[in-house]
Amino acid sequence: MKSKLTVLLIMAANYCLAANTTEIECESYADNSFKGICVELPNYREIRGGTKIRTTYAAECPEELIGAFDYAVKIWEENLPSMLPLNVTVKWSKIRGSKTAVLSKVQYKTLESDTELDRQYLSTMSQIKAVALKEIHLQRTHRFYDVVDEVTKKMDLADITITYNSDLYNEYSFSIDDIMSNKYDFVSLAIRDIAKGLGFGINIIADDEGIVFLPGKKTFYESLIWSELKNETPASAYTKCTQGSLNVTFLPLLYAPNPWQNGISLQYYIPDETDPLSMLLSYDFGKGYIMRDLSGFDWENKFQYVLDWQAMMTTGGTTNSKFENGSTDNNLPFKGNIDLSSVSRQTPNNITNDLKPIESVNPSAAMQTNSTTSYSELCEPYNYFYTGDKKVYYGYSISVLLKNGSWDVVYAEYYPTATTIKVEDLPLNYPTSEYARSCSGGLRYRLTKCEWNAGSSAPKKYYVKYFTRDYFPQKANIKYSKIHEESENISLSEIRMSDDYYVDVEIGLSNIEGTNKIIVEQLDEGERVPFRYEATDFRQGYFIANLDRELSTQLTVISYNDNGNTRSNTIVIPAIGYDDLQENISFDICDNHISTNGIDRIQPNASYTITNMINANFVKTEKLPTDGIIDISELKSGCDILSLRNGNNTANYKFTK
């Protein structure tokens, strides 16, 4: 796989937060090289755990970006070891400051800890969340007890923040299918960015004298690479890092070109088809590079030894044990049975192999903090055998994963006489929209068997199996994106000139996994009854609606699968208008008002309309002030469209307050 480098990341520490918190930042650069590599998501995949990545999107994010990023999240969720919910914030804005186009920027938080094992490292929040849950399940001493206050305070804050470059909107493909095109596959890019946010990245640079040995604490991952250079002089380290590749224990071969390239060298791997991490973080990523398959790989082992996701060892005594499995073939029907005997003794995962005991920390001392929330209380809703208010301490439980990362307990019982239960008889205790979904759109179920002799000193054993269940389609979300450009070789003005009355627009879609068909309901201004049509290529992340330029349009989509249908939100798109006003009028948003530039071209009876892009019921229409300044002080935060109507012409401005 030999071709020009297309993406690189630069690591930089940002110390703008609290004294014990460091935020590490990475940027992804890109060029226009086409790669033509497709590693597809296989039909059969193991499910490694029950982790939920909770994602928050800025109002500016296009809906098709949300759909593609959600899909990338679901791929990671199948493979991540069990951990407390991970919080990711996604933003959409211009990214400046580089000679080369920037695809994205990743920031992830770390905390300082002062235990025997951690005082020399920066610990990522993802690492802390993984270790905390593991120690509760295995009854280990608490490795991060000294930062439990900080963990508690930051539990609902963003662990990872990813910003995508809005200037490159037309360069991304948001399809959730493996369709190779001369664009950057956004799902693959998002999977890479999440990996970076989990901690795969370093800050090593060089100057005229050789490698620069930067001061300060490093993450465990950084320390693995620094360990290969610590006995070298700056000059000899430079020689070692410019021999084409660098071999580091537990890692794929690091890319080490000659001469050294800051932001490129040692930031990426030389791709190896047997190692999905190297394929995911290949130095050779570019347009047409699709990497969706993270399956068939021992991620728990990789995270344990590369990102240090390992619990502290106890000295003496015995601990609980856990055995997890599941696959995408473990599919529960919409109506059918679940067999409790399907979860039983299995071959244990390599949880403790080759781990070296360290000095034990007294558990009671570990819990003596000022925090009102202990580790146990923090982890309880995410416990393997969480039974809610049912107070069942061993036996069987069945639960369904919620979007907030906790589990809705739908069944808990001491060893029952019947081992077969009808899935449809298990009530869901929340609205359907509150539940997490899988890559195939199904609900995510967990069956746990807990073995324990009450009153005995013997530890508990957990046997966990994960399922997906066919269900109603998700409620799709739709949002106006842009005027559709039919060809990259035709200018937008030429497209508009080709039709004096109608215009094609792209409507972004999300929540479309598990949907077989989408029907669009389009109601044009002045009509009493909407007309319907099928959006046949909706899995690309958007559909095209043909609109009358002079009329507003109301859109809703209906998602179908074999189990039923679900209606989406409804949006209103103001009249698109024509070019003459759009080209001569511009808008500037400042504090609580919008200034209209080119007011001299506006007729006295001009009016404006503000339409919220999410809440179709919010529409405000007023006469345009003579000074062209529009007051938006009473608007709530969100994404809106300002439409200025001047006679028969309309100009539109999408803004976020």
Side-chain angles (χ1 to χ4, degrees):
M1 194 181 302
K2 296 180 179 179
S3 62
K4 179 180 175 182
L5 175 71
T6 58
V7 176
L8 55 111
L9 279 83
I10 294 179
M11 305 296 298
N14 182 344
Y15 294 95
C16 62
L17 301 177
N20 66 333
T21 304
T22 301
E23 191 166 77
I24 295 177
E25 181 175 293
C26 328
E27 286 188 346
S28 302
Y29 297 86
D31 63 26
N32 293 320
S33 299
F34 179 77
K35 301 303 173 184
I37 296 171
C38 185
V39 184
E40 300 179 6
L41 190 69
N43 291 328
Y44 172 84
R45 304 178 301 280
E46 294 180 345
I47 299 176
R48 296 290 185 176
T51 291
K52 183 73 188 77
I53 298 177
R54 304 187 295 203
T55 310
T56 302
Y57 296 96
E60 302 88 348
C61 289
E63 204 65 39
E64 55 269 46
L65 176 151
I66 295 174
F69 194 91
D70 277 348
Y71 191 62
V73 162
K74 292 176 175 68
I75 292 173
W76 261 122
E77 286 174 342
E78 288 184 355
N79 293 280
L80 280 172
S82 292
M83 60 186 295
L84 298 175
L86 187 69
N87 301 320
V88 177
T89 294
V90 178
K91 298 181 178 180
W92 177 252
S93 67
K94 298 178 185 295
I95 302 178
R96 303 300 190 192
S98 172
K99 297 179 181 178
T100 314
V102 182
L103 284 175
S104 59
K105 180 171 64 178
V106 181
Q107 299 163 298
Y108 62 94
K109 290 184 174 64
T110 65
L111 287 176
E112 293 185 27
S113 180
D114 198 36
T115 61
E116 175 82 16
L117 190 61
D118 302 293
R119 61 173 59 112
Q120 59 184 314
Y121 304 122
L122 292 174
S123 300
T124 65
M125 284 298 294
S126 56
Q127 174 195 11
I128 294 171
K129 288 184 172 184
V131 172
L133 188 61
K134 183 181 290 188
E135 288 181 328
I136 288 297
H137 289 145
L138 302 182
Q139 292 184 339
R140 301 278 173 83
T141 51
H142 299 307
R143 176 174 171 182
F144 294 105
Y145 69 92
D146 62 312
V147 293
V148 69
D149 286 324
E150 290 297 321
V151 172
T152 302
K153 293 172 185 176
K154 294 176 172 60
M155 189 54 64
D156 293 324
L157 301 180
D159 304 312
I160 303 170
T161 300
I162 306 174
T163 303
Y164 291 99
N165 193 346
S166 58
D167 281 345
L168 299 180
Y169 178 78
N170 293 322
E171 300 296 315
Y172 298 127
S173 168
F174 298 104
S175 174
I176 65 172
D177 285 331
D178 300 323
I179 300 175
M180 194 176 298
S181 66
N182 192 27
K183 293 188 176 184
Y184 298 104
D185 180 53
F186 190 86
V187 173
S188 299
L189 177 62
I191 294 173
R192 286 167 62 92
D193 288 339
I194 293 170
K196 283 293 175 184
L198 291 170
F200 290 99
I202 63 170
N203 183 23
I204 299 178
I205 60 176
D207 59 18
D208 293 339
E209 298 181 359
I211 299 297
V212 178
F213 291 85
L214 298 173
K217 291 185 177 181
K218 301 169 178 60
T219 65
F220 188 84
Y221 177 77
E222 289 177 310
S223 71
L224 290 177
I225 300 172
W226 277 111
S227 66
E228 296 294 323
L229 308 175
K230 63 184 178 181
N231 296 324
E232 307 285 344
T233 65
S236 63
Y238 181 91
T239 300
K240 191 170 185 177
C241 294
T242 54
Q243 296 179 345
S245 64
L246 181 67
N247 190 6
V248 176
T249 305
F250 301 126
L251 293 180
L253 281 176
L254 285 164
Y255 181 59
N258 187 12
W260 175 278
Q261 301 175 56
N262 281 330
I264 300 175
S265 298
L266 308 190
Q267 300 288 345
Y268 292 95
Y269 304 126
I270 295 175
D272 175 356
E273 292 183 357
T274 65
D275 188 329
L277 180 62
S278 73
M279 296 294 292
L280 178 63
L281 295 177
S282 165
Y283 77 92
D284 208 30
F285 182 80
K287 289 186 175 181
Y289 190 112
I290 296 174
M291 175 59 196
R292 306 282 184 87
D293 184 14
L294 303 181
S295 63
F297 189 66
D298 191 348
W299 286 103
E300 178 148 354
N301 183 70
K302 181 65 71 174
F303 286 136
Q304 181 168 278
Y305 292 110
V306 174
L307 300 183
D308 198 26
W309 287 16
Q310 57 183 347
M312 292 184 81
M313 298 292 294
T314 53
T315 55
T318 55
T319 64
N320 293 340
S321 56
K322 67 181 180 73
F323 314 114
E324 294 178 273
N325 77 346
S327 75
T328 52
D329 276 3
N330 297 137
N331 191 42
L332 298 174
F334 181 61
K335 292 185 177 182
N337 298 327
I338 182 170
D339 183 3
L340 297 183
S341 64
S342 65
V343 57
S344 58
R345 292 184 180 274
Q346 301 141 21
T347 302
N349 293 335
N350 294 327
I351 298 171
T352 60
N353 288 0
D354 303 324
L355 292 183
K356 296 179 180 179
I358 63 171
E359 183 179 351
S360 177
V361 176
N362 187 318
S364 60
M367 299 309 299
Q368 292 175 5
T369 70
N370 295 325
S371 174
T372 57
T373 304
S374 70
Y375 262 81
S376 297
E377 293 169 334
L378 194 66
C379 298
E380 182 61 22
Y382 315 103
N383 197 303
Y384 289 126
F385 200 65
Y386 177 61
T387 58
D389 58 359
K390 301 183 186 299
K391 304 302 179 186
V392 177
Y393 302 103
Y394 57 90
Y396 290 93
S397 72
I398 301 173
S399 48
V400 190
L401 185 62
L402 291 158
K403 286 182 177 179
N404 65 10
S406 63
W407 294 85
D408 174 25
V409 181
V410 296
Y411 176 87
E413 190 71 56
Y414 295 110
Y415 297 108
T417 54
T419 60
T420 301
I421 298 174
K422 289 185 177 180
V423 176
E424 62 267 30
D425 289 344
L426 301 176
L428 297 176
N429 299 312
Y430 297 88
T432 303
S433 60
E434 296 297 316
Y435 291 93
R437 298 284 185 138
S438 67
C439 287
S440 59
L443 299 183
R444 295 174 58 184
Y445 277 66
R446 179 182 70 181
L447 169 60
T448 302
K449 177 184 179 183
C450 178
E451 290 184 354
W452 182 55
N453 294 322
S456 169
S457 59
K460 293 183 178 180
K461 292 185 176 67
Y462 301 101
Y463 304 97
V464 187
K465 191 168 186 176
Y466 297 97
F467 299 84
T468 57
R469 179 193 174 190
D470 285 339
Y471 205 67
F472 293 117
Q474 303 170 82
K475 177 182 177 180
N477 287 324
I478 61 175
K479 184 194 292 185
Y480 167 73
S481 293
K482 63 173 184 175
I483 293 175
H484 178 63
E485 299 180 45
E486 297 180 355
S487 170
E488 295 180 358
N489 299 319
I490 301 177
S491 68
L492 187 59
S493 61
E494 289 175 325
I495 293 173
R496 290 180 173 177
M497 290 172 59
S498 66
D499 194 326
D500 291 336
Y501 302 103
Y502 296 94
V503 61
D504 287 339
V505 300
E506 292 182 12
I507 307 298
L509 282 162
S510 65
N511 288 348
I512 54 178
E513 303 95 339
T515 295
N516 299 333
K517 181 172 71 172
I518 282 198
I519 298 295
V520 182
E521 280 190 354
Q522 180 171 323
L523 179 63
D524 293 330
E525 181 181 345
E527 298 293 333
R528 296 180 59 187
V529 180
F531 68 93
R532 291 187 171 193
Y533 55 93
E534 182 176 356
T536 57
D537 199 17
F538 63 90
R539 289 178 67 85
Q540 66 187 334
Y542 66 89
F543 67 91
I544 297 174
N546 185 254
L547 310 182
D548 190 309
R549 291 180 178 275
E550 297 182 354
L551 302 176
S552 65
T553 305
Q554 180 174 296
L555 293 169
T556 308
V557 304
I558 307 170
S559 302
Y560 292 84
N561 67 15
D562 294 340
N563 302 315
N565 62 80
T566 308
R567 296 179 67 85
S568 74
N569 61 308
T570 297
I571 61 172
V572 175
I573 302 176
I576 298 296
Y578 296 87
D579 285 340
D580 55 354
L581 183 62
Q582 193 80 42
E583 292 174 354
N584 295 317
I585 296 294
S586 61
F587 303 96
D588 292 318
I589 185 169
C590 181
D591 296 329
N592 287 317
H593 67 270
I594 296 176
S595 296
T596 305
N597 303 315
I599 191 66
D600 54 308
R601 300 180 177 87
I602 301 296
Q603 298 177 6
N605 62 349
S607 63
Y608 72 90
T609 298
I610 295 178
T611 306
N612 186 269
M613 296 184 68
I614 302 299
N615 181 5
N617 295 321
F618 178 82
V619 180
K620 175 185 178 182
T621 302
E622 301 282 352
K623 183 177 179 180
L624 183 70
T626 56
D627 60 3
I629 296 178
I630 299 170
D631 181 17
I632 58 171
S633 59
E634 295 182 359
L635 281 184
K636 295 181 179 179
S637 297
C639 204
D640 302 271
I641 296 177
L642 168 65
S643 299
L644 178 61
R645 185 179 290 273
N646 184 43
N648 292 325
N649 297 326
T650 301
N652 291 297
Y653 174 57
K654 186 164 65 172
F655 68 95
T656 302
K657 187 182 178 198

